[in-house]
Amino acid sequence: MNIIQEMFFSLFILTVSQNVTAKSIIAGYSPGICSMPVINETNCLNDELLQNVLLSNSIECARTCRTGDSKTCYYKFVIERYPVNGYACNLCIPNITNSLCADCQCVPGDGTQRMALTVNRMIPGPSIQVCQGDYVVVDVVNLLASDSVTIHWHGIFQQGSPHYDGVPHLTQCPILMHDTFRYQFFANNYGTHMWHAHTAAQKLDGIFGSFIVREPIENELYSNLYDFDLANHIIIANDWFKEESTARFPGRRAGAVRQIADSFLINGKGRFIDSSGVTTNIPFEMITVDANQRYRFRFINSFCTSCAAELIVENHNLTVIASDGQFLKPEVVDSIVSLAGERYDFIINADREPGAYWIQLRGLDECIHNRVQQLAILQYEGASTTLYTDEPTHDNPLTSGIVLDMAANNCNVSFPDQICGNKLNHALPIDSDILKKKPDVKLFLTIGSYNYKPKELFTPNTYKSFIVPSPNITSITMLNNIISISPSSPPLSQLQNISPDIICNAENLPSNCNSKAPCSCIHLIKIPLNSIVEIIMIDGFDTNILRHPFHMHGFVFYVMAMGQPLGPITKTNIKMTEEYFKELDDNNQIERNFVSPPAKDTLPIPNNGYAILRFRANNPGYWLFHCHQIFHALTGMEVTLQVGEPSDIPETPKNFPRCGNFKPAIEF
């Protein structure tokens, strides 16, 4: 790179401190006087760091990466219920984006007051930024008064450390209130990742953050395309309710009856416009650049609901170089559509007239009808802070231009202004076995839902999971007609405590299940170690809007094919079925990419379409594969992939917590 990356943090601090006033002028927000100093290395120290000189803090770990230079990076996450736009915001407003450690404890959100779940009194939580090969240690302290919690490291393979993947009752016991759990693992796969709560809907209430693993500088594939890869050039977007998520789950029959976002946040803040047109006065997020420099940006979609969103940077095209930590052959686009859990790396060339430009995050799919959007600002350093154009709205958006949309409608048709997943190509050599004609294992997974009748749902002594997406409809979500339930104990550490009678898959259903109604059981599929696995995802969901983003733990997969042969569901066409797909495949109408399929770990499945995924099952463990729309996962749209036999799985760490159902004999 032309300018050494060691300078990025000092530039980061300087840039932000110079623009606090500019933010206030643009947004009309008066932050008051903050008694907290600008953060520095001393602020980032805690008792563990002070006592152990072998540990590195967050600032030391966010560095230029070089081969052979590894550190043990320590973080402390304190989770608590905390007010948004509370009293701390009378003193100051956060003056550092994606803070590497805590600052002034103001959580602005979108300006509406509500309670949230925070990590170190921040939303997003602390940004983990390390080098490939670093050892990461995170102490998670649960100060929630009534909830347990786990943290999943989304995108980290956890090769050799499956017990720290952070899935409750699958890889670990949940962290109970006032307890601390220590996660420790190697950050061996580089890329733009994230971390988030994997318990209930806690991610939606604020427990999430960025996790960046940089490769050694001499190995950076596209380092010639950009000058800077800065700590504060992360854009992390999340969807947001005006109330805690527990108020929306399982759902109401009046009022806010759906689990649709009320607003979006960009780097933890934004504005909310209520039904009467009143706007909150939180400053827009501002990201600064120097003229005529090229910057690598990292965009993280931390959504939880079923909305998609389109990211547009006014008058600047985006050169996309990676998705989900996997390099792509560069594609120059004007906007990117993403869904929950996806990440994209892109390059912006700051070669426009110096000034201030809008960044728009515009809601799509189910967020179209209530016109959800959020804005931020791309500010050229030293230039005017006056925006070139009027504030864009959902109905009068910035120009989309060429759109990258992995699972757009009609991806089977060629449009000059649309790039779908089937047109992307991986940038690095691919395991030749992935590209062979036939895989070792082929799985069909059909996405579906089931609408309960009240007499089915509310039977005495039955407690079925459900959501209420609209009045008078009570439904659940599933794969292959199975509602997956959680085991009471993690099979990784307590396999002997799980009854085999409640484990199932499409070929092995419990005796109490029938074909007329969905079956509730632990949906588990065994996969031989080191086999090449092909998963064919088929969207049989009865809607013409939803696209389900599926995330795989422990692996990346190659997208061999995807499409929408029937188009969106209408009154005149039928929905996709496994039988129809097999007919197309048998007639050679499904074309797979056997040359350079793109790799991802989170993929939206085309509405009323299909996606074909392949991966090598070389990471033994129990790995979740699930819809990343959180309410769908909560009602059963997931499956566990058991890779290898229990003897292949790494040993359980010493003193690992145990949990389960405890029913001693009744004694008088």
Side-chain angles (χ1 to χ4, degrees), residues 383-595:
S384 169
T385 57
T386 301
L387 278 302
Y388 274 96
T389 58
D390 292 336
E391 184 173 315
T393 65
H394 193 279
D395 294 331
N396 186 25
L398 299 174
T399 302
S400 295
I402 299 174
V403 182
L404 171 59
D405 187 347
M406 286 294 298
N409 288 341
N410 301 314
C411 276
N412 301 67
V413 182
S414 180
F415 293 107
D417 58 350
Q418 179 176 283
I419 298 176
C420 299
N422 57 6
K423 296 182 177 69
L424 297 177
N425 292 283
H426 197 53
L428 296 172
I430 297 173
D431 181 347
S432 59
D433 286 344
I434 293 288
L435 304 177
K436 65 184 182 181
K437 182 77 172 176
K438 293 185 178 180
D440 302 317
V441 177
K442 179 179 284 191
L443 305 173
F444 286 89
L445 293 175
T446 301
I447 303 167
S449 65
Y450 181 82
N451 292 336
Y452 284 115
K453 297 179 176 65
K455 65 180 181 180
E456 291 181 271
L457 188 66
F458 303 116
T459 303
N461 290 312
T462 61
Y463 302 94
K464 296 177 180 177
S465 179
F466 66 97
I467 54 176
V468 186
S470 61
N472 306 316
I473 299 177
T474 304
S475 65
I476 51 85
T477 57
M478 57 196 178
L479 289 173
N480 287 0
N481 212 41
I482 295 173
I483 306 166
S484 190
I485 62 174
S486 173
S488 60
S489 305
L492 269 177
S493 54
Q494 296 175 243
L495 184 60
Q496 70 280 5
N497 297 133
I498 302 172
S499 170
D501 295 337
I502 61 171
I503 296 175
C504 71
N505 53 54
E507 284 72 43
N508 180 31
L509 292 174
S511 58
N512 62 332
C513 291
N514 60 69
S515 59
K516 295 182 180 179
C519 181
S520 295
C521 45
I522 300 170
H523 194 178
L524 185 143
I525 299 174
K526 294 184 177 181
I527 294 173
L529 185 62
N530 213 40
S531 58
I532 300 299
V533 182
E534 180 173 278
I535 299 179
I536 298 173
M537 300 293 300
I538 296 171
D539 178 29
F541 216 73
D542 257 331
T543 173
N544 63 349
I545 297 177
L546 289 184
R547 295 179 282 178
H548 301 267
F550 269 77
H551 171 55
M552 182 177 287
H553 293 220
F555 301 91
V556 293
F557 48 75
Y558 293 88
V559 184
M560 308 300 293
M562 58 193 306
Q564 193 187 31
L566 297 173
I569 294 175
T570 68
K571 294 180 180 179
T572 58
N573 72 16
I574 60 174
K575 66 180 180 180
M576 273 287 291
T577 64
E578 182 177 328
E579 292 73 23
Y580 183 70
F581 175 87
K582 288 180 177 178
E583 181 182 335
L584 293 175
D585 205 19
D586 291 342
N587 293 329
N588 297 316
Q589 293 176 268
I590 303 298
E591 184 178 348
R592 290 166 172 81
N593 182 351
F594 287 112
V595 179

Side-chain angles (χ1 to χ4, degrees), residues 261-277:
D262 294 321
S263 68
F264 297 153
L265 303 179
I266 296 177
N267 293 344
K269 56 179 175 287
R271 293 183 184 176
F272 177 74
I273 304 176
D274 66 19
S275 57
S276 62

Side-chain angles (χ1 to χ4, degrees), residues 313-355:
V313 181
E314 184 180 25
N315 290 352
H316 291 74
N317 55 37
L318 316 174
T319 302
V320 179
I321 60 171
S323 180
D324 300 352
Q326 300 295 306
F327 283 116
L328 299 167
K329 292 182 179 178
E331 293 282 356
V332 180
V333 300
D334 298 291
S335 61
I336 299 171
V337 173
S338 66
L339 281 89
E342 290 191 280
R343 294 93 64 207
Y344 287 94
D345 292 31
F346 57 83
I347 296 165
I348 286 182
N349 189 351
D351 60 354
R352 301 298 191 263
E353 181 181 349

Side-chain angles (χ1 to χ4, degrees), residues 38-58:
V38 172
I39 70 163
N40 54 46
E41 190 167 333
T42 302
N43 299 136
C44 294
L45 300 181
N46 52 49
D47 290 343
E48 198 76 32
L49 288 164
L50 291 169
Q51 293 168 10
N52 191 339
V53 296
L54 299 179
L55 301 178
S56 297
N57 65 46
S58 56

Side-chain angles (χ1 to χ4, degrees), residues 81-128:
R81 185 164 275 102
Y82 189 75
V84 172
N85 199 18
Y87 182 73
C89 297
N90 292 340
L91 305 176
C92 63
I93 193 163
N95 58 354
I96 291 182
T97 302
N98 290 299
S99 302
L100 298 174
C101 66
D103 51 311
C104 73
Q105 300 191 3
C106 167
V107 178
D110 63 4
T112 58
Q113 295 190 46
R114 53 157 286 186
M115 298 302 294
L117 306 182
T118 65
V119 178
N120 298 358
R121 297 189 174 178
M122 300 159 60
I123 295 179
S127 179
I128 295 178

